[in-house]
Amino acid sequence: MERILIVDDDEYMRSSLQIELESDGFEVSVAENGTQAIEMAKNSAFDLILCDVRMPGLSGIETISAIRDVQPGTRSIIITGYASHDTPIAALRLRVDDYLMKPFSGEELLRSIRSTLVRLRQSVSQSEGVARYRRNFLKLITGILFEGKVSHLIGHSERVAHLALQVGRSLGLSPVRLQNLYIAALLHDVGYFDLPAQLMEKKEFRPEDFDLVKNHPALARDLLEPFKELKEIATVISYHHERWDGTGYPSALGGDMIPLESRIIAVAEAYDSLVSDRPHRSRKAVKEALGRIESGSGSYFDPRIVKLLPSVIEVYEEKPFSPAASETDDRERRTSVLLNLADIQREQKNLDVAWEAYEKALELLEGSEAHELKARGELGKVQVLSGRGLHEEALRKARDLIEYAKSHALSFVRAQAALQAGYSAMVLGQYEGVEGEILSAREIFEVWESAYHMCEADFLLSNLHCLRGDDRSPGSIAAFNSFLQAILSRRFFDILQKYPDFSTVFVRRLIRHSIEHGLLIGEITALFRDQKRAPLSILEGLANDEDRAVRLRVLDILNEARGREARIPAAEGRKDSADEAPAEAPGAAPPVRIFFFGKFRVMAGETPVDEEAWVTRKAKSLFAYLVSRGGEEVSEERLMDIFWLKGGQKALHSLHNSVSVIRKILTPFLGPLAKNIVLHRKASYYFNSALGCQVDVADFEELFHRGRTFFEQNRWDEGLASLQNAERLYMGDFMEGSYDEWSDELRLALRNRYIELLTLLGKYFFRKGKHEVSIDYWKKLLACDNCCEDAYIGLMLCYVAMDRKNEAVRAYRQCARTLQAELDLPVPAKAAEIYLHLMEGQTVPLTM
C-alpha cells in the first residue's frame, strides 16, 4: 500500500483529502506545516508528498526540497489556489511531478496521483536492476576494448566477422541470421575480458594458462545472456570452439548439433589466425592456411564450410600488413560501437551506464583526429547530465561543445549542442542570450531542412517566451504556432521525453496563455480533436481554471473533442462478430503505441509493457505477427503452421491460450478495451485496427509512399516533410534480433524502403546544392548498405562540387574495394567516369 503525506495549513483541505485518498486505498498521513512534515519524513518513509504552496513559515517548495534531502526518491505534487509566474519555475527546478490549481476535482487528483505512483514504481524497479545491469554492461565494454590491448589481435574480430558474413551469404542464410552471425563474430572473443592482456602475448601456454583461455566461450555466454536481445548471439559465441568430431569445448557437441553460425565462425577464426602473426609463430601464406584448414575438415571443421572457403576468401595472395593503419581504423570502429551502445542506454534512461560508455569511447579517441565521433560522445554526455538534472554542468559542457564544433566545422552538432545549452539555461532561470542561441541553431536546421529539429527549437522558444512573460510578441506567436504543428505531426511525445523538465505542467501553461489571450484558438481546437496527437489530460487540467473565460473555452474544446469521438467505430464489414464489443470512449484508457523498428515493444501512454509480462515468447510473437498484418484476418490453420508446427488440438489450444494471454497482458493498460485488441471471426484471428492504436510500421509506410508520390509530382516541400518523418520512425531494422522466419520478408522489404528513402533525400539535397546535407544522407545509406552504388556516386559528386577532390578519390577507392570484396563486381560506370575526369583534370558534370 502506497504511503502519502498531505501537507496543508487548511484543516478542512487536509481532512477532505485524507478521507478521499484513504477511501481509495492509500495509507495517508497529514502535516499542518512544512516543519512538521520534515520531521515526519525523518522518521517515516513516504511514496508521495501532496503539498500546498503557500503556508505559514516554510513554503511548499521549500518543504519538498527539504524532504528530498531526507528521502531522495519521494515523488511530489504541489497544489495552490494562487496563480504565480514564479511557482511553476521553482517546481520545474525541483522536478515536481505535477502542479494542480485549486479547485480541482477528486477525479483529477486521483489521476495525477496514480500516474505519479506509476512513475515511482518504474523508477524503483529500474534502480533495483540497474546495478547488476551496469556491471554486465561495463564488462561488455571491457571485452570490446580488450582486443585493442593485444597487439596481434588488433582488427582480428572485424576480419573474422567480414569473412564469416561472406560464408553465410554463400550458404544462403536469411538477412536476420546474417546480421546475428556478423554481431556474434565481432563479439566472439569478448569472453577474454577477465584475462590479463599479457597472457595473450605469451609464446608458450602452460596447461593452467590454456585452462583459463578455454573458459572464454562460457564467460562470453554469461556476459551476454542477461541482455535479452543478445541471447541468441550468446549461444552462437558459446559454441564457436566446438569441433565437428565432438572433441571441442565447452560442451563437446558434434556435427549438426553445433549451431551453423558457430561452425562458420570457427572456420573464419582459424583462417584469420593462421594468416596473422602470433607470439609463437609468424603468419602463414594463404595457400598454406587453406591447406591446414582442409586437413581439419571432418574433424575440427564442418566439411561443407571448408569446401566453400577458398571461393569466398577476400585475399588470394599475401599482402603487407600495416599494424598502425589497422590500429587507427580499429579504434574508430570500436568507438562507434561504444557510442551506439551508449545512445541506446541513454534512450532507455540507464544514464549511469550510458555515461560510462561515453567516457570509455572518448578515452579510446584520445589523440585521434576523429572530431565527429568526439563531438558525438560529448553531446551524449551533455544529454546524460541534463537527464540527471545537473543543468549547470550540462550548460557548461554544451557551450564548450559549441566552440569545439565551430572549430571543426560540425554545424549540425553545434546546433544540437545549442539547443541543449538553451534548455539547461532556461531550467536554471538564465534567460539572457538564450533566444539568440536557439534562433542560431534553428537557422542551421533550416539549411538542413530538418523539420523535427526546427520544431524542437520552436518548442524551446515557446517555453522561453512563456517564462519571460512576453507570450504576446510576434516571435512568441510564430514559435508557438510551430510548436502546435509539431504536435500535429506526432512529434509531441518525442519532444516531451527529450526535455522532461518542460513537462505537461509547462505545456498546459502554454495552452492556457494562448486561450487566455485569444491566440491560435482555431489551431488548438483542431489539435485536440485527435487525441493520439494531443492527450485530453492537458486540457482537463485547465477545466477548473480560476479564470472563467479560460475555463469556458476549455470546456467548449473538451466537449467538442469528446463528442466528436465518443465511441470508436467497429471495423468496417465486421460488425457481426460476436467477439467484438463497442469500444470505450477514447479518454477511458491511454493510447497504445506499437513499435516494430528496432526491438519490438508496446507502450501504453508513456508506460512500456514489460518484457516479463508476456509470459511466453509465442504470445509476444503472435501479437506482433497479427499487428503486422494491419487488421487482415489470418486463419487458425495458418497461425498454427507458423507458430505450432505439429498442429492438432494441442496446438489449437495453445493458440487460444496465447490470445487470452495477450488480452490479459494489456488489460491493466486498456481496461475493457483489451478484450477487443485481438478479435476472433469464425476460424480466423485479426488485430483490431479500429481501436486507433499507433503502429510505427503503418505510419512509416504511409509517410514513405506519400513522400515519394509528392517528390514524383515535384511537390518537394510536402514530400520532404513526409520522408523526414518516416526517417525518424526507422529506429533500426524491423524486429531487430528476432529469429521468427515470418519477419524476414517484412524486414527486407522495409529495409529496401528505407534505402530508397535515404536515396531520395540524398538526391533532393544534392539538387538543391546543399552538399553537406547530401553527404550526410549518402553516409547513412552506406552505413545501411555498404555496397550501394548510388551512395558512392552521390558522395563523389558532392565532394567534387565542394572542391574536395581527394575525398572524392577516396570515395571511389572505397567503392572499388567494397564491391570487389563483397560482390565480386567492378565499380559502376558512372563512378569510373567521375574518377577518370578527376585524374585527367577535366570538369566533372554534376549530374546524378
Side-chain angles (χ1 to χ4, degrees):
M1 180 184 296
E2 289 93 352
R3 301 195 67 204
I4 299 176
L5 173 61
I6 299 170
V7 189
D8 201 312
D9 61 319
D10 184 328
E11 184 178 357
Y12 173 76
M13 178 63 76
R14 287 198 309 273
S15 300
S16 59
L17 288 175
Q18 182 175 16
I19 292 168
E20 184 162 2
L21 295 179
E22 285 180 341
S23 67
D24 210 60
F26 297 108
E27 182 179 338
V28 181
S29 300
V30 295
E32 62 183 29
N33 56 54
T35 303
Q36 184 182 2
I38 293 165
E39 288 302 313
M40 292 174 69
K42 289 177 180 178
N43 300 310
S44 303
F46 296 101
D47 299 301
L48 173 67
I49 310 297
L50 186 62
C51 189
D52 192 15
V53 171
R54 291 196 177 184
M55 297 182 295
L58 294 176
S59 70
I61 297 293
E62 292 168 327
T63 300
I64 290 174
S65 179
I67 291 175
R68 284 273 178 85
D69 291 338
V70 180
Q71 300 182 23
T74 301
R75 296 284 174 163
S76 54
I77 298 172
I78 58 174
I79 55 178
T80 184
Y82 304 91
S84 165
H85 177 73
D86 296 328
T87 301
I89 298 172
L92 168 70
R93 293 176 186 166
L94 196 56
R95 302 178 77 85
V96 167
D97 289 274
D98 207 351
Y99 178 86
L100 298 178
M101 287 287 297
K102 298 177 184 178
F104 47 80
S105 66
E107 181 184 352
E108 183 182 359
L109 173 65
L110 289 173
R111 182 167 55 246
S112 176
I113 288 174
R114 284 171 183 150
S115 64
T116 300
L117 290 174
V118 164
R119 289 194 292 275
L120 172 66
R121 287 191 289 272
Q122 289 173 338
S123 66
V124 169
S125 174
Q126 181 178 348
S127 64
E128 287 173 349
V130 72
R132 174 172 45 83
Y133 194 88
R134 182 183 181 188
R135 283 195 300 272
N136 279 344
F137 187 78
L138 293 179
K139 285 180 181 178
L140 176 57
I141 291 172
T142 304
I144 292 170
L145 296 177
F146 178 89
E147 191 176 288
K149 298 177 182 177
V150 182
S151 59
H152 66 267
L153 290 181
I154 292 171
H156 168 69
S157 292
E158 188 172 14
R159 295 191 300 272
V160 170
H162 182 73
L163 181 55
L165 187 63
Q166 294 194 70
V167 173
R169 284 174 175 157
S170 298
L171 290 169
L173 297 188
S174 70
V176 178
R177 293 185 73 179
L178 287 174
Q179 181 186 47
N180 283 293
L181 170 63
Y182 185 75
I183 295 171
L186 280 176
L187 298 176
H188 77 277
D189 278 341
V190 76
Y192 285 132
F193 75 95
D194 241 354
L195 303 179
Q198 56 267 30
L199 176 65
M200 305 307 296
E201 300 281 10
K202 284 188 172 185
K203 291 187 176 181
E204 291 185 14
F205 273 6
R206 296 171 300 176
E208 54 268 33
D209 293 333
F210 188 62
D211 287 341
L212 283 175
V213 171
K214 284 174 66 175
N215 284 330
H216 81 271
L219 289 170
R221 181 196 59 222
D222 295 342
L223 173 63
L224 297 172
E225 276 190 336
F227 301 91
K228 294 182 177 68
E229 51 281 321
L230 296 178
K231 280 187 176 179
E232 292 89 351
I233 288 164
T235 300
V236 170
I237 293 173
S238 67
Y239 296 128
H240 79 278
H241 276 292
E242 301 291 351
R243 295 179 181 175
W244 184 256
D245 62 7
T247 62
Y249 59 88
S251 302
L253 297 182
D256 291 333
M257 294 296 291
I258 308 168
L260 176 58
E261 289 85 346
S262 304
R263 287 178 261 152
I264 293 171
I265 293 172
V267 173
E269 181 182 41
Y271 173 79
D272 186 73
S273 296
L274 286 166
V275 297
S276 302
D277 289 321
R278 289 291 182 265
H280 60 285
R281 60 160 176 80
S282 59
R283 64 192 184 95
K284 307 297 180 185
V286 171
K287 289 182 181 179
E288 184 181 353
L290 288 173
R292 291 201 176 196
I293 289 175
E294 188 175 353
S295 68
S297 177
S299 54
Y300 282 76
F301 309 118
D302 181 341
R304 183 170 56 140
I305 298 171
V306 172
K307 187 176 180 180
L308 277 173
L309 187 62
S311 64
V312 294
I313 290 292
E314 183 177 8
V315 182
Y316 287 90
E317 59 184 4
E318 297 181 47
K319 287 188 176 181
F321 178 71
S322 171
S326 294
E327 187 173 356
T328 300
D329 294 342
D330 187 65
R331 177 169 58 172
E332 292 186 9
R333 180 187 65 78
R334 290 177 182 280
T335 302
S336 184
V337 170
L338 285 178
L339 290 173
N340 287 338
L341 291 170
D343 288 342
I344 291 169
Q345 296 305 313
R346 177 175 52 77
E347 289 171 6
Q348 294 178 350
K349 309 302 182 188
N350 297 322
L351 299 181
D352 289 343
V353 177
W355 180 268
E356 295 281 355
Y358 287 126
E359 290 271 80
K360 292 280 187 183
L362 290 169
E363 283 176 20
L364 200 58
L365 288 173
E366 286 180 7
S368 165
E369 295 297 314
H371 301 299
E372 194 168 351
L373 288 176
K374 287 183 178 179
R376 184 179 160 197
E378 292 294 348
L379 181 62
K381 290 176 69 175
V382 170
Q383 291 168 330
V384 169
L385 290 169
S386 175
R388 288 173 169 172
L390 302 174
H391 288 288
E392 289 185 3
E393 191 175 352
L395 177 58
R396 179 178 57 79
K397 278 192 169 291
R399 290 193 168 145
D400 288 345
L401 178 56
I402 290 170
E403 295 306 313
Y404 182 85
K406 279 181 183 177
S407 65
H408 293 95
L410 301 171
S411 61
F412 201 81
V413 174
R414 174 161 62 103
Q416 289 176 295
L419 290 191
Q420 289 293 327
Y423 169 53
S424 290
M426 290 160 65
V427 173
L428 294 168
Q430 300 173 14
Y431 307 142
E432 186 176 352
V434 169
E435 183 172 6
E437 204 164 43
I438 297 174
L439 286 172
S440 294
R442 198 185 193 287
E443 287 175 4
I444 293 172
F445 296 139
E446 284 176 358
V447 172
W448 286 68
E449 299 187 46
S450 177
Y452 175 81
H453 290 95
M454 284 190 279
C455 287
E456 273 191 85
D458 290 326
F459 176 74
L460 293 175
L461 286 171
S462 297
N463 279 278
L464 177 63
H465 287 298
C466 191
L467 289 168
R468 293 190 317 199
D470 59 354
D471 53 286
R472 293 183 65 92
S473 68
S476 173
I477 295 172
F480 188 71
N481 186 40
S482 293
F483 162 68
L484 289 176
Q485 294 304 317
I487 301 177
L488 289 167
S489 300
R490 296 188 178 181
R491 301 189 189 98
F492 177 72
F493 290 108
D494 285 348
I495 292 174
L496 282 195
Q497 286 175 348
K498 191 165 186 179
Y499 301 107
D501 291 285
F502 295 151
S503 60
T504 301
V505 173
F506 272 73
V507 176
R508 187 179 296 159
R509 193 158 185 257
L510 286 169
I511 299 289
R512 187 189 186 283
H513 272 251
S514 256
I515 294 174
E516 182 182 12
H517 298 297
L519 306 172
L520 307 169
I521 299 299
E523 288 87 342
I524 290 172
T525 303
L527 168 66
F528 284 96
R529 286 176 184 155
D530 186 346
Q531 293 160 43
K532 288 188 296 182
R533 296 177 179 178
L536 285 180
S537 59
I538 294 173
L539 278 179
E540 287 167 349
L542 297 170
N544 295 310
D545 194 87
E546 60 181 5
D547 186 315
R548 184 173 181 273
V550 170
R551 189 165 64 247
L552 292 176
R553 174 65 74 177
V554 167
L555 290 172
D556 284 344
I557 298 172
L558 279 170
N559 287 333
E560 181 175 344
R562 287 170 174 156
R564 187 180 182 90
E565 296 185 12
R567 302 183 77 79
I568 300 175
E572 185 177 354
R574 294 184 178 139
K575 295 177 183 177
D576 60 334
S577 173
D579 293 322
E580 184 167 2
E584 299 282 332
V592 168
R593 297 183 292 152
I594 302 166
F595 299 91
F596 284 93
F597 290 121
K599 185 180 176 184
F600 178 75
R601 56 211 185 278
V602 179
M603 301 282 291
E606 296 307 304
T607 305
V609 175
D610 190 80
E611 284 296 311
E612 304 303 325
W614 288 102
V615 183
T616 68
R617 181 178 171 274
K618 284 281 175 67
K620 180 181 177 183
S621 185
L622 174 65
F623 182 62
Y625 176 77
L626 291 171
V627 175
S628 74
R629 309 304 294 180
E632 171 191 336
E633 291 185 11
V634 185
S635 69
E636 291 178 339
E637 184 179 358
R638 173 64 179 151
L639 292 173
M640 287 189 288
D641 283 344
I642 295 172
F643 296 100
W644 294 274
L645 291 175
K646 293 183 180 179
Q649 284 301 311
K650 186 175 180 181
L652 187 61
H653 174 75
S654 297
L655 169 60
H656 295 165
N657 185 59
S658 291
V659 172
S660 176
V661 167
I662 292 167
R663 292 169 176 163
K664 286 179 181 176
I665 288 167
L666 295 173
T667 296
F669 306 100
L670 292 176
L673 285 178
K675 68 179 181 181
N676 299 320
I677 198 155
V678 174
L679 296 174
H680 187 256
R681 176 183 172 84
K682 296 181 181 178
S684 299
Y685 281 100
Y686 61 92
F687 169 66
N688 187 3
S689 56
L691 285 181
C693 299
Q694 182 183 343
V695 182
D696 64 346
V697 167
D699 289 346
F700 174 85
E701 290 276 25
E702 179 186 344
L703 289 164
F704 169 77
H705 287 295
R706 185 192 305 159
R708 184 172 62 180
T709 300
F710 282 147
F711 268 28
E712 290 169 353
Q713 297 171 351
N714 294 327
R715 296 162 64 183
W716 305 110
D717 290 343
E718 295 164 282
L720 177 66
S722 293
L723 290 178
Q724 285 184 329
N725 286 343
E727 181 193 0
R728 283 194 57 77
L729 287 173
Y730 199 97
M731 302 297 292
D733 279 345
F734 180 86
M735 291 187 70
E736 252 175 20
S738 167
Y739 274 94
D740 295 321
E741 289 187 11
W742 65 263
S743 66
D744 285 358
E745 187 177 344
L746 262 173
R747 181 178 295 109
L748 183 59
L750 288 164
R751 200 163 191 266
N752 287 338
R753 293 254 197 283
Y754 182 60
I755 288 171
E756 186 178 353
L757 179 153
L758 294 175
T759 303
L760 288 169
L761 290 172
K763 289 179 177 179
Y764 167 82
F765 285 107
F766 177 77
R767 291 188 187 113
K768 292 197 74 173
K770 296 183 176 181
H771 300 116
E772 183 182 359
V773 185
S774 183
I775 286 171
D776 186 65
Y777 279 105
W778 299 129
K779 286 182 176 178
K780 286 179 183 176
L781 187 45
L782 287 175
C784 186
D785 177 9
N786 68 340
C787 294
C788 181
E789 296 178 359
D790 281 347
Y792 288 112
I793 293 168
L795 271 180
M796 291 177 71
L797 288 172
C798 285
Y799 287 137
V800 169
M802 298 171 76
D803 198 26
R804 290 155 64 176
K805 175 182 172 180
N806 289 341
E807 289 174 84
V809 170
R810 278 199 292 272
Y812 170 82
R813 289 173 179 164
Q814 181 188 353
C815 174
R817 284 195 303 269
T818 305
L819 292 181
Q820 176 63 40
E822 297 279 350
L823 304 175
D824 196 23
L825 289 175
V827 293
K830 178 71 173 178
E833 179 187 342
I834 297 169
Y835 177 72
L836 288 173
H837 277 73
L838 287 171
M839 292 296 99
E840 294 171 3
Q842 299 174 356
T843 302
V844 176
L846 295 178
T847 57
M848 294 291 289

